[in-house]
Amino acid sequence: AQSVTQLGSHVSVSEGALVLLRCNYSSSVPPYLFWYVQYPNQGLQLLLKYTTGATLVKGINGFEAEFKKSETSFHLTKPSAHMSDAAEYFCAVSSAFSGGYNKLIFGAGTRLAVHP
Amino acid sequence: EAQVTQNPRYLITVTGKKLTVTCSQNMNHEYMSWYRQDPGLGLRQIYYSMNVEVTDKGDVPEGYKVSRKEKRNFPLILESPSPNQTSLYFCASRLQGAGTEAFFGQGTRLTVV
């Protein structure tokens, strides 16, 4: 069975500071990993994903995440927070095996606040 | 423009009054899903569909029904809504296969009184 744990339901940073949102996963099969962002009153949109290949993945809006198999982690980072980054962020995992239905399993989410 | 469209965006209803939330996608995706989002619980899958006439239960299917008569549409039906179904609902679609991106609708905020 697969699961996702996001450490910290709320994270607050100053504008210009490093953003670090933590995600750990559990999977008995090779995982595909995703980060989604949800702005107020909107649906979720994909920030970045890891499937295969390079373990450091770059996404939109300056975000990146690193897949660390030994730590079963996929933490999201951004060097310098902007006010527009305030949103809720969801980590998700899916099975890498093709064939059949590959369910997306979401973490509980982390709400990021950015203050001046 | 590629999109998933849900309607309505907001709905207040009374216990027991049947309702349908519509979902339509224009990307010819095989997979479609319904999720509910509740504080502290993230997104939980209600039902999913792998293609026309192929649907299956997700993690929290009780009290919900779906149908997939056409590839683009995947309505969510609450036959007899109850207050514990008050939630934010999202429809999503994606291409078949592992690692594919899910595209989400704008959400439907449902309140059952």
Side-chain angles (χ1 to χ4, degrees):
Chain A
Q2 295 176 307
S3 65
V4 176
T5 302
Q6 292 183 238
L7 295 174
S9 58
H10 291 81
V11 170
S12 181
V13 300
S14 300
E15 192 173 19
L18 171 71
V19 175
L20 170 61
L21 304 183
R22 299 178 187 274
C23 172
N24 288 89
Y25 70 92
S26 172
S27 179
S28 58
V29 298
Y32 285 169
L33 295 157
F34 305 79
W35 275 100
Y36 285 85
V37 61
Q38 183 183 28
Y39 297 106
N41 297 317
Q42 293 187 28
L44 282 73
Q45 64 183 83
L46 184 70
L47 266 181
L48 49 82
K49 69 177 181 180
Y50 168 78
T51 53
T52 57
T55 56
L56 182 62
V57 180
K58 295 186 186 299
I60 61 172
N61 300 338
F63 284 93
E64 61 183 37
E66 186 170 11
F67 170 57
K68 292 187 177 181
K69 185 178 179 181
S70 61
E71 299 177 8
T72 62
S73 69
F74 191 57
H75 302 330
L76 182 71
T77 60
K78 182 175 180 177
S80 177
H82 192 272
M83 298 294 288
S84 61
D85 294 327
E88 188 153 21
Y89 292 80
F90 293 92
C91 183
V93 65
S94 177
S95 167
F97 288 134
S98 60
Y101 180 72
N102 302 96
K103 183 178 176 180
L104 267 178
I105 297 169
F106 288 87
T110 298
R111 186 169 297 277
L112 175 67
V114 182
H115 51 88
Chain B
E1 180 190 353
Q3 59 184 2
V4 178
T5 303
Q6 289 179 234
N7 280 297
R9 291 288 311 276
Y10 302 92
L11 180 59
I12 301 175
T13 190
V14 297
T15 299
K17 184 176 181 181
K18 181 180 178 179
L19 67 90
T20 299
V21 184
T22 63
C23 174
S24 181
Q25 50 96 3
N26 63 0
M27 295 167 279
N28 202 36
H29 286 168
E30 292 87 4
Y31 289 178
M32 296 187 75
S33 301
W34 276 102
Y35 296 87
R36 60 178 289 173
Q37 182 182 5
D38 301 290
L41 297 177
L43 277 78
R44 294 179 291 168
Q45 192 180 60
I46 302 170
Y47 268 92
Y48 66 93
S49 170
M50 294 175 67
N51 216 322
V52 175
E53 303 291 1
V54 181
T55 63
D56 208 347
K57 296 177 180 178
D59 299 314
V60 288
E62 293 76 22
Y64 304 95
K65 285 176 56 177
V66 293
S67 68
R68 187 96 181 269
K69 294 183 170 55
E70 304 165 283
K71 196 170 186 178
R72 63 184 292 123
N73 295 325
F74 191 46
L76 179 69
I77 303 156
L78 285 72
E79 294 270 4
S80 183
S82 63
N84 65 11
Q85 293 178 297
T86 293
S87 187
L88 180 58
Y89 291 87
F90 287 100
C91 180
S93 74
R94 60 187 173 109
L95 286 168
Q96 183 181 11
T100 57
E101 173 188 354
F103 291 81
F104 285 82
Q106 296 280 76
T108 296
R109 186 167 291 281
L110 172 66
T111 302
V112 184
V113 297

